[in-house]
Amino acid sequence: MTKKGQIVEIPASSPIYSRELPGFHSKKDELIWKSRENEYSLFDGFLVGEHQGVENFKIGQRKGINVGGKKEPLYVIWIDVKENRLFVGAGDSHPGLSTATIRLGENLKLNDISFSKEELEKGIDVEISTSINEDDLSAKLYGFDESFFLQFENKVSVTVEDNPFDIIYQNRIIKSY
């Protein structure tokens, strides 16, 4: 059964997007901090409508939000399943729709290639091929203990990790998602 919930618009000028970077003790600490999702609350924005159930939405979605009277279309930037709340941002360049770092998870198994601990901690230059971008994206692959990250040269859509993508090293696919 679907349950009605609130739609909260987060302004692009929200202080959430201009937080000062803390001092990091290591590259790993920096990547962990930069790869975490923004978590929003009702008090970060303003109520603009209601939805018929968060299960009908995904991050980056524009269609079906059904809130009118806006200069720019609204996009889903975060879903709070626990509070049944949908957070949206206006325009396709809203800062809640982009990231420069994603966490790939634990125990990454690469295809027919291995890197030393030192190489992974320094960062390996890779290209990312996605179904949502025409051109490959430049990134660095980092590995620390069992945690792996991609840090992109330029910000990318937060939907990258929700769509199929390949990690390419020296013209070879070393991992597919």
Side-chain angles (χ1 to χ4, degrees):
M1 182 169 110
T2 60
K3 181 179 160 198
K4 286 186 178 185
Q6 299 168 322
I7 300 176
V8 179
E9 183 176 351
I10 306 296
S13 60
S14 171
I16 289 171
Y17 305 118
S18 58
R19 284 185 280 207
E20 194 171 315
L21 289 177
F24 300 108
H25 296 296
S26 67
K27 185 67 174 179
K28 180 181 179 183
D29 289 344
E30 175 190 345
L31 294 170
I32 289 170
W33 192 88
K34 287 182 174 180
S35 66
R36 66 184 166 72
E37 285 185 344
N38 283 321
E39 291 190 13
Y40 304 95
S41 83
L42 178 60
F43 306 105
D44 293 325
F46 45 93
L47 223 48
V48 292
E50 62 180 30
H51 60 80
Q52 299 301 316
V54 293
E55 64 277 359
N56 300 316
F57 296 94
K58 62 182 186 173
I59 303 295
Q61 181 175 331
R62 181 177 71 84
K63 304 267 188 206
I65 296 171
N66 296 330
V67 173
K70 299 290 180 180
K71 282 185 178 179
E72 295 183 276
L74 297 177
Y75 292 82
V76 176
I77 59 172
W78 195 58
I79 300 168
D80 185 342
V81 175
K82 183 179 171 193
E83 296 295 325
N84 193 33
R85 201 169 279 140
L86 195 62
F87 292 88
V88 296
D92 60 2
S93 61
H94 188 279
L97 290 171
S98 63
T99 186
T101 309
I102 61 173
R103 188 175 193 155
L104 296 174
E106 313 294 317
N107 300 319
L108 185 71
K109 302 285 187 245
L110 301 174
N111 302 335
D112 302 321
I113 195 164
S114 62
F115 297 105
S116 70
K117 178 181 177 191
E118 292 77 22
E119 287 175 308
L120 285 168
E121 288 178 356
K122 185 178 174 190
I124 313 275
D125 289 322
V126 295
E127 297 291 318
I128 307 302
S129 176
T130 74
S131 59
I132 60 171
N133 291 82
E134 288 181 24
D135 298 322
D136 288 350
L137 307 168
S138 296
K140 280 195 180 280
L141 172 67
Y142 289 93
F144 302 93
D145 305 317
E146 303 299 321
S147 298
F148 291 85
F149 303 86
L150 283 174
Q151 187 168 42
F152 293 91
E153 192 173 285
N154 299 305
K155 286 196 169 202
V156 299
S157 169
V158 293
T159 62
V160 162
E161 57 189 318
D162 297 329
N163 290 280
F165 68 89
D166 294 323
I167 301 174
I168 302 166
Y169 176 72
Q170 296 182 343
N171 297 319
R172 282 189 1 205
I173 296 174
I174 59 172
K175 182 68 179 174
S176 293
Y177 282 89

